[in-house]
Amino acid sequence: MSEETKKTEEQVEATEVKKTAAKAKKETKEEVAEAPKVEKVNPEEFLANFDWHKYEEGIEAVDEENIKAFEAALEGTLGLVNEREVIDGVVVRKTDREAIIDINSKSEGVISLNEFRYNPNLAVGDTVEVLVDKREDSTGQLVLSHKKARVIKAWDRVNNAHETGEVVNGFVKCRTRGGMIVDVFGIEAFLPGSQIDVKPIRDYDQYVEKTMEFKVVKINQEFKNVVVSHKALIEADIEVQKKEIIGKLEKGQVLEGVVKNITSYGVFVDLGGVDGLVHITDLSWSRINHPSEVVELDQTLNVVILDFDDEKTRIQLGLKQLSKHPWEALDENIKVGDTVKGKVVVLADYGAFIEVAQGVEGLIHVSEMSWSTHLRSAQDFVSVGDEVEAQVLTLDREERKMSLGIKQLYPDPWNNIADKYPVGSKHTGTVRNYTNFGVFVELEEGIDGLVYISDLSWTKKIKHPSDFVSVGDKLEVEVLELDVEGRKLNLGHKQTTDNPWDAHEDTFAIDSIHEGTVKEKSDKGLIVILEDGVEAFVPSRFTVKEDGSKLAKGDTDKFKVIEFNKEFRRVVASHTSIFKAQEEKNIKAAQKKADTADKTTLGDLGGDLAALKKKMEGK
């Protein structure tokens, strides 16, 4: 056979192979009717009898029956595969980036190792599934895909793994919200964070790009979602271990555990598949604000079993119980009356707790912080963290209680109060507080006195002390009464000035008339300001003017004093009485004149009668 003829045969063969591949691809995608039976033809005989010249010149068309016979003859011939077909291949070589796969065809395929990331142990000689993507690309290379082959059969494998509980390998691709994305058989499955391990995971990144074993725990066929779990693989072993541990639990038993979780109220410790809780109060003999001050995550420590429920599912553990109680280690020489130093650890309104030794606390009641009888909050004296010095007032080692005092370190100011603040002495104090009935004035630390509201002013009528003074004001006072045993001091402010009512007694004598201005008006009467700022009360019946109208607020007029009481600092006045008194005076004068006129007339008449009688008798 000539060289030209051989070249022509190769071209025809390539053409026929491409037609055969196209037909195979079409039959893979859709159903076709059953092909008619074709008589078997020897390929060599067909090629030998084929008129190549006529075919190339287009003189004679190729008989369709002959082509079909030729295609049928090619079936089963070594080296021919169908596109889109999933078959087994063997890894014959590996490079740093690719795997060369033999599928028993006329050429080998190349697949990137990225498609085998889930199987880092891939080795030469392994059998793998591949999809024939193309029998030939533009360069004549066979194109295979392991990933596509896995996807085609993945759902069958996933469903089977779910039903049988088969353990599958998966490649952790990346993190996502709430968990991880895992490649299982080429399908992206979701691994919830809670299903990674039996203990909480704080660093998800440590699992990325790692191959792990999983169980398929859930499949959503409608949305093609797969959920896997690594935790499920180890729970069975843990359950056996857990039952073994629970069966041996006894109160007082000391076990080794690992800090699994820290909360504000305590610490969860993993005892080897069984969790127990160490409450914050059982972590340390000293007061702590948060468990993290004592332990750390993943810390290994010994704990003692304090209690558990009947089913031993809730286990109460203790840490401080493994060490000696601080009260037992407290210095035996400390006694009542001794001075101790400590740090303020807790503050309350009623007092402060002082840690005098690790785990040993004493209470300083607010009443023991100052000699002042006027109680305040403990926050006014100390703050948390302050280093203080105090005296031991009571000590009960059995009950593990101690009371302390700060004021006992300083002299009691009431011891010589009679000398410092005798009755009648005047001083300047600070207003510390007030009530409805008076004002508390501090003369010095520990010495408070009360100024009753009635002793604030000689002239002003004060409804509430806050109308007269404010907290923090300096106030001049005079000692009125002193009770050393009762620790009571009665003070007065108005007594520091002369009593103006001594002079008012002469100024506002009864029937004296003064000019005043109406300050307030009510149904009962008027409040009128007279000279020197003295307030006088005018009853309603005495507010009528001479023209019949009544005085109004702001009016200025004359008023007559009709009552004066020095003791109660009371002045009662009247406006009406001024012109009423004049009327009465006029009436009395008229009456007197009338009486005088009547007496003169009768006298004269009597004289005339007497003269007449005498005259008549003379006759």
Side-chain angles (χ1 to χ4, degrees):
M1 186 179 292
S2 66
E3 188 69 21
E4 183 178 355
T5 303
K6 289 181 179 180
K7 184 176 182 181
T8 303
E9 287 181 357
E10 290 177 356
Q11 291 176 347
V12 172
E13 183 179 5
T15 302
E16 294 305 320
V17 169
K18 289 182 179 179
K19 289 182 179 180
T20 302
K23 182 178 179 182
K25 184 176 182 180
K26 183 176 181 181
E27 289 177 349
T28 304
K29 293 183 177 178
E30 60 183 19
E31 295 183 358
V32 296
E34 184 178 354
K37 293 182 179 180
V38 180
E39 183 180 353
K40 285 278 185 176
V41 179
N42 189 315
E44 295 180 1
E45 183 181 348
F46 176 82
L47 291 173
N49 296 330
F50 190 76
D51 190 339
W52 297 102
H53 177 71
K54 289 183 179 182
Y55 176 75
E56 289 177 350
E57 297 295 331
I59 300 172
E60 181 178 329
V62 180
D63 187 2
E64 185 69 24
E65 295 297 326
N66 289 339
I67 293 177
K68 290 181 179 179
F70 177 71
E71 291 176 350
L74 290 177
E75 290 183 5
T77 302
L78 183 65
L80 290 179
V81 292
N82 294 326
E83 290 187 356
R84 315 309 300 170
E85 182 180 357
V86 177
I87 59 177
D88 288 337
V90 178
V91 180
V92 293
R93 289 195 310 278
K94 278 182 65 179
T95 68
D96 293 339
R97 301 176 60 185
E98 298 171 328
I100 290 78
I101 312 296
D102 180 14
I103 60 170
N104 200 23
S105 181
K106 65 178 182 178
S107 63
E108 296 169 340
V110 178
I111 300 178
S112 171
L113 286 179
N114 286 336
E115 297 191 22
F116 295 97
R117 285 188 302 175
Y118 74 96
N119 183 13
N121 299 320
L122 181 71
V124 174
D126 288 353
T127 300
V128 295
E129 293 177 336
V130 295
L131 173 73
V132 180
D133 214 354
K134 288 183 180 181
R135 286 193 295 194
E136 283 186 352
D137 60 8
S138 60
T139 63
Q141 176 68 49
L142 175 66
V143 180
L144 304 177
S145 173
H146 175 63
K147 181 178 180 180
K148 292 180 180 179
R150 291 179 69 215
V151 170
I152 291 174
K153 292 194 174 182
W155 279 102
D156 292 337
R157 291 181 177 179
V158 167
N159 286 321
N160 183 63
H162 185 227
E163 293 173 1
T164 62
E166 177 189 354
V167 177
V168 299
N169 284 337
F171 178 77
V172 182
K173 297 177 65 176
C174 62
R175 286 187 57 180
T176 187
R177 185 176 180 181
M180 318 285 286
I181 298 298
V182 180
D183 184 336
V184 179
F185 301 138
I187 294 176
E188 288 191 346
F190 177 59
L191 172 63
S194 61
Q195 295 298 314
I196 297 176
D197 205 337
V198 291
K199 59 183 179 180
I201 301 301
R202 292 176 289 278
D203 182 15
Y204 283 43
D205 292 333
Q206 62 180 312
Y207 297 96
V208 176
E209 296 188 352
K210 285 189 177 181
T211 300
M212 301 170 60
E213 292 184 333
F214 300 97
K215 267 192 174 183
V216 180
V217 294
K218 186 177 181 181
I219 296 178
N220 187 319
Q221 299 291 350
E222 181 180 357
F223 296 101
K224 299 298 182 182
N225 291 335
V226 179
V227 180
V228 296
S229 171
H230 178 69
K231 176 182 176 182
L233 296 177
I234 55 180
E235 278 184 333
D237 294 336
I238 289 178
E239 194 62 31
V240 174
Q241 186 179 4
K242 184 176 179 180
K243 289 181 180 179
E244 183 179 350
I245 294 174
I246 288 178
K248 297 179 181 179
L249 289 182
E250 294 180 2
K251 292 181 181 179
Q253 184 179 9
V254 178
L255 298 173
E256 185 179 80
V258 178
V259 177
K260 179 179 179 181
N261 192 20
I262 298 177
T263 67
S264 60
Y265 55 86
V267 176
F268 287 94
V269 178
D270 183 359
L271 302 175
V274 181
D275 290 346
L277 172 65
V278 183
H279 195 268
I280 187 171
T281 56
D282 291 316
L283 282 171
S284 172
W285 292 114
S286 300
R287 289 180 184 263
I288 58 175
N289 296 317
H290 195 274
S292 59
E293 299 175 19
V294 180
V295 297
E296 298 177 352
L297 284 173
D298 299 325
Q299 180 182 347
T300 301
L301 44 77
N302 290 328
V303 290
V304 61
I305 297 177
L306 303 179
D307 201 0
F308 47 74
D309 59 11
D310 294 337
E311 298 179 358
K312 297 182 180 179
T313 55
R314 293 185 178 180
I315 305 171
Q316 182 181 345
L317 305 174
L319 179 63
K320 71 179 185 181
Q321 288 78 5
L322 295 177
S323 60
K324 191 176 181 180
H325 197 288
W327 272 89
E328 297 176 9
L330 183 65
D331 189 351
E332 295 181 356
N333 295 322
I334 294 179
K335 60 184 181 300
V336 174
D338 287 351
T339 300
V340 294
K341 293 181 179 180
K343 182 174 70 174
V344 179
V345 290
V346 176
L347 266 182
D349 288 339
Y350 57 85
F353 288 92
I354 312 299
E355 189 176 51
V356 298
Q358 186 174 4
V360 178
E361 296 176 2
L363 172 64
I364 304 179
H365 193 271
V366 67
S367 62
E368 304 298 339
M369 291 183 175
S370 170
W371 287 109
S372 175
T373 56
H374 174 57
L375 295 183
R376 285 172 275 173
S377 174
Q379 285 89 338
D380 295 335
F381 298 96
V382 293
S383 302
V384 173
D386 286 354
E387 295 286 343
V388 298
E389 199 172 28
Q391 187 180 100
V392 179
L393 304 182
T394 63
L395 179 62
D396 189 336
R397 293 179 182 270
E398 293 184 1
E399 294 293 329
R400 294 171 178 171
K401 292 181 179 180
M402 180 190 301
S403 62
L404 306 171
I406 294 178
K407 71 181 184 181
Q408 287 77 11
L409 301 178
Y410 304 95
D412 185 354
W414 283 85
N415 289 340
N416 59 347
I417 191 168
D419 298 331
K420 294 177 66 176
Y421 303 103
V423 174
S425 61
K426 293 181 173 59
H427 309 275
T428 300
T430 304
V431 177
R432 291 301 182 193
N433 194 15
Y434 42 68
T435 65
N436 291 331
F437 54 83
V439 178
F440 287 98
V441 178
E442 184 182 60
L443 300 180
E444 65 173 83
E445 181 67 31
I447 303 296
D448 290 345
L450 174 64
V451 180
Y452 283 100
I453 193 171
S454 59
D455 289 321
L456 286 173
S457 175
W458 289 112
T459 57
K460 294 182 179 179
K461 292 183 178 180
I462 302 170
K463 295 180 179 179
H464 192 274
S466 60
D467 298 334
F468 188 80
V469 292
S470 299
V471 173
D473 287 354
K474 296 294 183 180
L475 192 68
E476 294 289 333
V477 293
E478 181 180 317
V479 178
L480 303 182
E481 295 180 18
L482 177 62
D483 182 357
V484 178
E485 292 183 1
R487 291 178 178 260
K488 292 181 180 180
L489 199 60
N490 187 14
L491 307 174
H493 171 64
K494 71 181 184 181
Q495 287 79 4
T496 60
T497 60
D498 294 333
N499 187 353
W501 287 88
D502 292 338
H504 294 339
E505 188 172 13
D506 296 331
T507 304
F508 299 101
I510 294 177
D511 291 335
S512 61
I513 297 175
H514 307 271
E515 189 175 86
T517 301
V518 179
K519 177 184 176 183
E520 296 179 12
K521 183 177 182 180
S522 65
D523 293 339
K524 294 182 179 181
L526 305 175
I527 300 297
V528 179
I529 304 299
L530 303 178
E531 54 200 82
D532 296 330
V534 175
E535 294 183 355
F537 175 68
V538 180
S540 182
R541 66 180 184 275
F542 295 128
T543 62
V544 180
K545 297 181 181 180
E546 192 172 1
D547 59 4
S549 63
K550 288 190 174 184
L551 290 168
K553 184 177 179 180
D555 288 351
T556 300
D557 216 320
K558 292 186 178 298
F559 297 89
K560 182 178 183 180
V561 177
I562 59 176
E563 181 182 338
F564 180 87
N565 190 311
K566 176 182 175 181
E567 182 180 356
F568 295 103
R569 303 191 300 279
R570 175 182 173 87
V571 176
V572 180
S574 170
H575 172 69
T576 305
S577 298
I578 293 177
F579 62 84
K580 287 288 185 183
Q582 187 63 41
E583 289 181 358
E584 291 177 0
K585 186 176 181 180
N586 293 338
I587 291 173
K588 287 181 180 180
Q591 183 65 40
K592 185 177 181 180
K593 185 177 181 180
D595 291 343
T596 302
D598 290 343
K599 288 179 181 180
T600 302
T601 303
L602 290 174
D604 293 342
L605 181 60
D608 292 343
L609 290 175
L612 180 60
K613 181 178 180 183
K614 187 176 182 181
K615 186 178 180 180
M616 291 179 66
E617 287 177 352
K619 286 181 177 180

